[in-house]
Amino acid sequence: MVLNYIWISFFIIAFIVALVKLIFWGDTEVFVEIMNSTFSSSKSAFEISLGLTGVLSLWLGIMKIGENGGLIATFSRWLSPVFSKFFPGIPKGHPAAGSIFMNLSANMLGLDNAATPMGLKAMEELQQLNPEKDTASNSMIMFLVLNTSGLTLLPISVMVYRAQLGAAQPTDVFIPIMLATFFSTLSGIIAVSLYQKINLLNRTVFSFLGIISLFMGSIIFFFSTLPRENIGLYSSLFANILLFLIIICFICAGIRKKINVYDSFIEGAKEGFTTAVRIIPYLIAILVAIGVFRASGAMDLIIDGISYIFNLSGIDTSFVQALPTALMKPLSGSGARGLMVDAMTTYGADSFVGRLACIFQGSTDTTFYILAVYFGSVGIRKTRYAVNCGLLADFVGIIASIFICYLFFY
């Protein structure tokens, strides 16, 4: 429903702005530019969707090998002590824990469309444990905030879009996104824990969060000591080594389990192909709406207004052109994806704006969309403090993304 209103608003606002430009400024080309944008945007959306097919098939195939090879289940067992602290309402051995882990794993790989079915399954299983069927349980809220905070370690889809749009090093945003999403997720966990009175100073939880925080802090410190010209090189090298190492580990796990690795890959790749085809209409719809919005001049008015406000305070405004992606992300994933593509197309995939838009896209998630779909799927009407915690995580992710992008790319 939210996306419906956003989509309609893009067209109506574009029409009003174009009409004002025609009547008061005599701009006779504005409607020509709007119609031309509909054709070019729809063509770009289709080409981008086709480009996604191969990579989505690849990574969903790799994920299926990991699942059939038992690696996913192994990770789930390893994280069980931590999960039991964050989700005390889930009995030990309940299938909800496995579904939550699979959902978070897909999110961490940046496979948004693959994560949704797993998330809906997890929500159904959590509803079975929920004593008040119309009210969100503590476990549901923690699960939702972990989703809305955009917990992403391997932003596959973002890197695919960068490759499609000609980035010299599509993986150079890997480290910045990992850092930004860490701050977003950590703030979400802390917020929910304060509401639910979860003791984060518990030895297990504190050790887990402490180790991750130390690791992330070390990464920031390491890159802050590098010469500016070497940051992109090291970031890209580390990302590529880690990505290939994951592929090798999943394949080795399949060999150790004595499964047919090739057939498992094909099984997952088919799902990837289906997913890529399924998103074509959505990407066309949102990119056409954004193209019309930009061609009318409405986007420039918003950006100029925000730039003017920050200029008054003497703050550098290089980040402002990427803000539409950040502002759209809590409302619509496809909308934010379209704005990210638009930013890279307009300013360049390797520009500061293009990279920051990618970090925004990878560091948070679609708070309102996830809340509506996940809660709506099980009939939850009373969401309690889920929206507050989700939006707080989004805000922290946006601020962190800006600072981290200046550190790496400005």
Side-chain angles (χ1 to χ4, degrees):
M1 186 63 71
V2 173
L3 184 55
N4 177 53
Y5 292 138
I6 294 171
W7 196 75
I8 293 172
S9 298
F10 274 153
F11 284 96
I12 293 176
I13 294 172
F15 177 74
I16 293 173
V17 172
L19 202 60
V20 169
K21 291 174 73 173
L22 175 64
I23 295 173
F24 293 98
W25 283 279
D27 187 349
T28 57
E29 294 296 318
V30 62
F31 282 100
V32 175
E33 293 173 1
I34 286 176
M35 288 311 302
N36 286 340
S37 73
T38 62
F39 297 117
S40 60
S41 298
S42 58
K43 179 183 177 183
S44 297
F46 183 72
E47 291 172 347
I48 290 169
S49 298
L50 288 181
L52 283 172
T53 305
V55 179
L56 277 177
S57 297
L58 166 65
W59 283 100
L60 283 181
I62 297 296
M63 280 286 288
K64 184 59 71 173
I65 293 174
E67 181 182 348
N68 293 344
L71 199 59
I72 302 296
T74 300
F75 288 149
S76 183
R77 286 196 301 273
W78 288 350
L79 291 174
S80 178
V82 178
F83 261 47
S84 65
K85 304 301 180 184
F86 288 141
F87 299 95
I90 301 178
K92 187 175 181 180
H94 193 276
S99 298
I100 289 173
F101 180 78
M102 288 297 293
N103 168 263
L104 295 180
S105 298
N107 276 328
M108 285 189 284
L109 286 174
L111 303 172
D112 304 334
N113 295 288
T116 300
M118 302 171 193
L120 293 175
K121 182 180 178 183
M123 189 59 66
E124 290 174 2
E125 291 165 346
L126 289 174
Q127 180 70 331
Q128 295 173 7
L129 301 171
N130 187 11
E132 300 180 51
K133 299 304 182 184
D134 66 339
T135 304
S137 66
N138 286 350
S139 296
M140 285 179 172
I141 294 175
M142 178 63 82
F143 173 58
L144 261 293
V145 172
L146 285 175
N147 269 267
T148 61
S149 65
L151 182 60
T152 305
L153 298 183
L154 300 173
I156 303 301
S157 59
V158 172
M159 292 189 288
V160 172
Y161 282 113
R162 287 183 54 73
Q164 286 293 108
L165 294 170
Q169 289 290 342
T171 57
D172 60 7
V173 297
F174 166 71
I175 298 297
I177 288 177
M178 185 173 68
L179 294 172
T181 194
F182 165 73
F183 288 110
S184 173
T185 302
L186 182 62
S187 64
I189 289 174
I190 292 173
V192 176
S193 297
L194 290 175
Y195 272 106
Q196 298 183 3
K197 296 181 172 56
I198 295 175
N199 182 16
L200 294 179
L201 297 180
N202 173 280
R203 185 173 64 181
T204 302
V205 175
F206 186 77
S207 300
F208 176 74
L209 294 179
I211 291 172
I212 295 178
S213 299
L214 183 63
F215 176 69
M216 295 296 179
S218 300
I219 291 176
I220 293 176
F221 176 76
F222 172 72
F223 280 98
S224 66
T225 61
L226 292 176
R228 180 71 57 182
E229 60 273 12
N230 289 343
I231 289 179
L233 173 64
Y234 280 94
S235 176
S236 179
L237 178 63
F238 179 75
N240 288 320
I241 291 174
L242 182 58
L243 288 171
F244 190 64
L245 186 62
I246 288 172
I247 294 175
I248 295 299
C249 287
F250 274 48
I251 291 175
C252 289
I255 295 172
R256 182 175 177 274
K257 196 75 173 181
K258 297 181 179 179
I259 66 169
N260 190 319
V261 175
Y262 179 79
D263 284 348
S264 294
F265 177 84
I266 295 299
E267 181 185 354
K270 288 179 180 178
E271 297 176 11
F273 180 83
T274 303
T275 300
V277 172
R278 190 167 60 243
I279 68 173
I280 291 176
Y282 299 97
L283 194 56
I284 290 175
I286 199 65
L287 281 186
V288 168
I290 292 169
V292 167
F293 194 74
R294 180 177 287 281
S296 71
M299 182 77 79
D300 293 333
L301 288 175
I302 294 174
I303 291 174
D304 291 344
I306 297 174
S307 296
Y308 177 75
I309 293 173
F310 281 103
N311 276 326
L312 291 177
S313 59
I315 299 175
D316 181 82
T317 58
S318 301
F319 67 92
V320 171
Q321 284 80 6
L323 275 181
T325 303
L327 299 177
M328 177 63 71
K329 191 61 189 285
L331 300 171
S332 164
S334 56
R337 191 180 302 116
L339 286 168
M340 175 191 70
V341 171
D342 182 70
M344 286 193 285
T345 303
T346 304
Y347 299 98
D350 289 328
S351 66
F352 178 83
V353 174
R355 284 169 166 149
L356 180 55
C358 291
I359 299 173
F360 282 146
Q361 174 70 12
S363 63
T364 59
D365 215 324
T366 51
T367 298
F368 289 106
Y369 174 80
I370 289 174
L371 288 170
V373 172
Y374 283 21
F375 279 152
S377 67
V378 292
I380 295 294
R381 293 188 295 106
K382 300 175 183 177
T383 61
R384 299 167 68 195
Y385 46 85
V387 175
N388 298 341
C389 294
L391 291 179
L392 174 64
D394 290 339
F395 178 74
V396 172
I398 290 170
I399 299 300
S401 297
I402 294 172
F403 280 101
I404 290 168
C405 194
Y406 271 100
L407 170 65
F408 277 76
F409 301 118
Y410 192 71

